[in-house]
Amino acid sequence: MMQRMSQSEIIGGLVALLGEARVSTSAPDVIAMSADLWPKAQIWKMSGEVERHPPDCVVWPGTEAELSAVVAFCAEHGIPIVPYGGGSGVCGGTVPIHGGVVVDVKRMEGEVEIDRASLTVVAPAGINGQHLEDRLNANGLTLGHFPSSIMCSTLGGWLAARSAGQFSSCYGKIEDMVLSLRAVLPTGEIVDTEDRQSGDPDWTQVLVGSEGTLGLITSARLRVHPSAKHRWLRGFRFHHLHDGLEGMRQTMQAGLRPMVFRLYDPLDTFIAMNTGKSTDRGGLIDLLRSNSSSKEQGSGPATRLFQGLARAGMSGGLAVPAALNRFAQALPSNCKMVVGFEGPEEAVRIQSERAATILRREGGEDMGAGPGEHWLEHRYSVSFKQSRIYQAGAFVDTMEVSTTWDRLEALYEEVKKAVGPHAFIMAHFSHAYREGCSIYFTFAASRGAGDRAEAHYERIWQSALSAVHRAGASASHHHGVGLLKRDAMVEEHGNMLRVWRVLKDTLDPKGIMNPGKLFPDGAGGA
Ligand SMILES: Cc1cc2nc3c(=O)[nH]c(=O)nc-3n(C[C@H](O)[C@H](O)[C@H](O)COP(=O)(O)OP(=O)(O)OC[C@H]3O[C@@H](n4cnc5c(N)ncnc54)[C@H](O)[C@@H]3O)c2cc1C
């Protein structure tokens, strides 16, 4: 095995390529780049380990040629590279578990080139998501990609981790939007997947979702759309989850394409009704912190849930998740749905009328435009406020899984049953398709003392992922795999891992690109 260079030799080589100002070993840079927003990394930090896996250094190449030189240097000396976009990933994809060089691509912001006639845009991978959308909006266009993290994530990160936005049922996921991309391969070679004829294999999709393990994406050509002039938004209330899901399935299978389609389970609905926010917008945090906002009066299960939580405090309440989940089971079975369409006036009118007919037929009660408009207005008020939960001695995480309609309810029940003894759990259904749908679970648990937090975190995830596979579902819909789900991928990909091994060994013979991510080291080998 090749002897790794010393840290000072690595830095010397990189400074020669980029200059001193764009190579850093300063503590703030190294700490900031030693993890993304993976909750487990947050647990490390809360336990006093601010940088469990520090990189040797952080670099900011300014051009594709500079990036290529950095990668070639690292390949020659067997130095691991970890690509870094916005660092908003939640699966540990940017944690430098083997040290090496973190390559932050955000300095590589280049020109945004819009082709109005073809309705495409070419944009640099390091561009901030909201900045890209702003540029398109100024030209009367939209990408139609609105992840909740749009203000702190990049185009390259979206492509690398197969991101989905809030309007995915209408515009698709990022892999449906990308037409071609440019990348620096692990040898330093630059490739452009646009250089192909229509009948050739599509190399774009080899790099999409590869989470930096096969190369560094530097720019991409994407489909864009004229900005929508008309919108219709509604809330519907269903008395049972099953009826709401039937409404969603039938709407999608009728060929309708809602821009937003979300169904909250009874607990998530209850939290939204009592805090004004759903779990993805901090409602869980409000619920766990106080009962002062509760509109529930009397002695029903809802009041008892709030009062019990208020008495026990956040961490105390979460220390008995099974009891909390039992209380939640006794809540009313109502489920709130948010649905909306956008586009040309005539198309919006026809689609919304048809959808409303289907949803009413399945038992939905029209709540008017209010819930939909409220959702749209607050859709980015996501819980970056998670730190309040950590400070109170607890942690929270989310799991986005997907399956076909025939297995969806079984998946929901299986995961709740598996996680229920360990964490307070709820869910909403979003990213609906003709064939199936994604479920977004939120779970919160008490951290406990010392090492127990990490062990508890792992127990929850193992229970959850085993349940997902028992239900025949996929463990990742749009957050990527990173370190968190890489072992689960071995089961999901089975024999096809051999293809991955050939691909990885061919493109990255030194194994330097984001090692240990997506699949465990050596996966698919003999
Ligand atoms: C509050 C919050 C809300 C979120 N909501 C959503 C949501 O609605 N939808 C959604 O899809 N995700 C969501 N996420 C997750 C996260 O934003 C996505 O995974 C996003 O795609 C990550 O982009 P990033 O630029 O931050 O990538 P990073 O976190 O920097 O990196 C993600 C992975 O991609 C690799 N990578 C980054 N840039 C490149 C590149 N140029 N070339 C090759 N590999 C690269 C990294 O090595 C890493 O493996 C959310 C996260 C948070 C914290």
Side-chain angles (χ1 to χ4, degrees):
M1 193 172 157
M2 186 186 299
Q3 186 67 38
R4 269 271 294 276
M5 288 175 114
S6 69
Q7 189 191 27
S8 60
E9 286 171 323
I10 294 173
I11 290 158
L14 292 168
V15 166
L17 293 172
L18 301 176
E20 266 182 32
R22 287 192 276 130
V23 181
S24 175
T25 53
S26 80
D29 289 333
V30 166
I31 291 171
M33 304 284 182
S34 67
D36 50 14
L37 294 179
W38 187 22
K40 187 171 169 185
Q42 192 61 33
I43 290 173
W44 297 338
K45 288 178 189 158
M46 296 304 285
S47 315
E49 270 190 281
V50 287
E51 35 159 354
R52 182 177 287 197
H53 297 291
D56 287 293
C57 64
V58 182
V59 298
W60 291 269
T63 63
E64 204 174 57
E66 282 181 354
L67 175 62
S68 164
V70 166
V71 175
F73 170 79
C74 290
E76 185 186 345
H77 300 287
I79 303 162
I81 289 179
V82 179
Y84 195 98
S88 71
V90 286
C91 300
T94 61
V95 178
I97 49 171
H98 296 295
V101 180
V102 168
V103 177
D104 185 341
V105 296
K106 288 194 289 297
R107 263 193 76 107
M108 292 183 59
E109 262 197 46
E111 282 306 301
V112 173
E113 293 164 29
I114 295 171
D115 177 346
R116 289 201 70 91
S118 315
L119 283 179
T120 67
V121 64
V122 176
I127 193 168
N128 171 281
Q130 187 60 52
H131 293 174
L132 173 57
E133 183 62 18
D134 289 344
R135 289 290 299 276
L136 291 169
N137 291 171
N139 287 276
L141 299 168
T142 179
L143 181 60
H145 190 66
F146 304 98
S148 304
S149 55
I150 190 168
M151 292 170 208
C152 62
S153 54
T154 62
L155 172 59
W158 294 347
L159 288 162
R162 292 190 183 278
S163 171
Q166 295 159 345
F167 293 8
S168 66
S169 297
C170 178
Y171 296 101
K173 292 183 74 198
I174 196 74
E175 60 258 40
D176 306 313
M177 301 172 185
V178 62
L179 297 166
S180 66
L181 48 79
R182 287 176 68 89
V184 174
L185 296 182
T187 50
E189 190 186 342
I190 297 170
V191 291
D192 186 341
T193 64
E194 199 162 71
D195 298 338
R196 64 185 272 270
Q197 304 300 317
S198 55
D200 300 346
D202 182 358
W203 302 115
T204 305
Q205 294 295 338
V206 172
L207 287 160
V208 169
S210 64
E211 300 192 20
T213 59
L214 298 178
L216 265 143
I217 299 165
T218 56
S219 68
R221 182 183 293 280
L222 306 145
R223 286 195 176 90
V224 294
H225 309 264
S227 295
K229 296 232 172 357
H230 297 276
R231 260 191 195 145
W232 175 92
L233 285 155
R234 274 289 184 287
F236 279 85
R237 183 188 300 109
F238 289 85
H239 290 297
H240 300 286
L241 184 68
H242 173 80
D243 299 342
L245 288 173
E246 263 306 288
M248 277 179 115
R249 181 180 72 80
Q250 292 189 26
T251 303
M252 296 310 294
Q253 292 181 351
L256 308 178
R257 291 293 169 263
M259 81 193 207
V260 53
F261 215 176
R262 300 165 88 85
L263 180 68
Y264 299 91
D265 81 352
L267 179 54
D268 212 333
T269 300
F270 167 78
I271 290 174
M273 297 305 211
N274 283 275
T275 66
K277 299 175 191 163
S278 57
T279 46
D280 50 336
R281 293 189 298 99
L284 175 64
I285 295 169
D286 286 3
L287 171 77
L288 293 173
R289 280 184 66 81
S290 134
N291 72 344
S292 58
S293 58
S294 173
K295 295 175 197 151
E296 283 283 336
Q297 300 293 326
S299 59
T303 310
R304 290 209 301 278
L305 177 63
F306 272 117
Q307 288 173 347
L309 277 170
R311 266 199 305 276
M314 188 189 300
S315 189
L318 290 173
V320 284
L324 275 185
N325 288 320
R326 267 200 307 279
F327 264 123
Q329 287 291 350
L331 293 173
S333 60
N334 289 336
C335 293
K336 189 176 83 167
M337 173 186 281
V338 171
V339 57
F341 292 90
E342 69 172 24
E345 189 172 9
E346 182 72 351
V348 170
R349 187 183 60 73
I350 293 170
Q351 293 204 78
S352 57
E353 283 176 9
R354 181 94 185 90
T357 305
I358 293 171
L359 296 173
R360 275 193 219 102
R361 193 182 62 213
E362 293 309 311
E365 292 166 14
D366 193 337
M367 298 165 74
E373 283 166 4
H374 185 264
W375 172 82
L376 190 71
E377 191 184 337
H378 296 279
R379 67 198 171 113
Y380 293 129
S381 318
V382 284
S383 44
F384 292 103
K385 300 171 265 181
Q386 277 183 9
S387 52
R388 287 198 264 149
I389 286 201
Y390 288 96
Q391 277 156 13
F395 61 80
V396 64
D397 206 346
T398 58
M399 178 175 81
E400 25 61 72
V401 295
S402 60
T403 193
T404 44
W405 289 109
D406 58 327
R407 298 173 178 183
L408 199 63
E409 282 178 76
L411 169 64
Y412 171 71
E413 295 299 342
E414 191 78 44
V415 171
K416 277 204 342 173
K417 195 168 86 190
V419 173
H422 313 296
F424 189 39
I425 180 166
M426 67 212 69
H428 68 258
F429 298 74
S430 54
H431 309 293
Y433 308 96
R434 198 174 159 277
E435 302 78 16
C437 190
S438 161
I439 312 181
Y440 191 91
F441 289 98
T442 300
F443 37 81
S446 173
R447 277 213 312 281
D451 295 345
R452 279 181 26 215
E454 204 171 329
H456 191 40
Y457 180 85
E458 275 163 15
R459 194 163 39 242
I460 292 171
W461 270 98
Q462 272 163 15
S463 311
L465 292 171
S466 303
V468 170
H469 286 158
R470 275 198 303 279
S474 168
S476 175
H477 179 262
H478 59 267
H479 284 168
V481 172
L483 288 172
L484 174 64
K485 298 177 182 173
R486 64 178 191 168
D487 293 335
M489 289 302 115
V490 174
E491 182 172 341
E492 262 181 46
H493 288 264
N495 287 342
M496 291 308 283
L497 271 179
R498 295 205 310 270
V499 179
W500 152 258
R501 188 76 262 150
V502 173
L503 203 56
K504 177 75 175 164
D505 289 347
T506 307
L507 292 178
D508 186 11
K510 299 270 181 71
I512 59 162
M513 286 301 300
N514 214 1
K517 310 296 168 47
L518 201 57
F519 299 111
D521 285 326

